[in-house]
Amino acid sequence: MLAPPCDTMFNARDSSPGRAVAARPWETIGSGSRQGVGMNFDKQRRLVERLLERTRAGELVWQESIRPDVFQAAFQNSSVQIKSVDDGRFTEFHVSIIDAIGRIVDDFGRDGLDRDSPRQPGSWSRVLEELYALARRSALRADDAIDSILAEIE
């Protein structure tokens, strides 16, 4: 079963059965960036590396979200989103893992990935930026648009 579209999030504190409400990022379930202080991010680093490899190879299909600057890839029991967060000074990228019922079970960015990483500090920011750019190109079918334009002008 494919995970549902990732644009509805649920508030884990709302005990009303079947009632969906917008979740705030800090109310994510699991080892999100606000809850994961001191945790090991090895799995998340491995996940980002594999997502990047598969996206570079064109083996992973990304889709647009209904939210601007958010792109998602669906898997059998979950989905992954990558989003751009601009605070006015600089842009950061965050990855969210969404379970089969639409809950954010993990959310992380460069801070978590950089923590205790064997890579040079700050390198995960560039990795997430590349993953975001490739996910966006895939979702928006940029290569198809370029091919179409080239076919008309050559």
Side-chain angles (χ1 to χ4, degrees), residues 70-142:
V70 179
F71 302 96
Q72 60 197 26
F75 297 92
Q76 187 172 355
N77 294 313
S78 57
S79 298
V80 65
Q81 288 184 338
I82 187 159
K83 59 189 159 232
S84 169
V85 181
D86 186 350
D87 72 356
R89 295 181 321 206
F90 57 93
T91 302
E92 289 198 37
F93 302 93
H94 288 264
V95 174
S96 297
I97 309 302
I98 317 295
D99 71 7
I101 61 172
R103 295 179 299 185
I104 298 174
V105 297
D106 201 359
D107 182 68
F108 54 90
R110 70 171 171 82
D111 290 338
L113 297 174
D114 274 340
R115 189 177 307 134
D116 299 324
S117 173
R119 290 180 182 239
Q120 180 178 356
S123 66
W124 285 103
S125 183
R126 289 184 296 279
V127 170
L128 290 173
E129 183 177 10
E130 181 182 358
L131 178 59
Y132 177 83
L134 291 173
R136 182 179 184 279
R137 287 184 59 78
S138 171
L140 299 178
R141 300 178 50 154

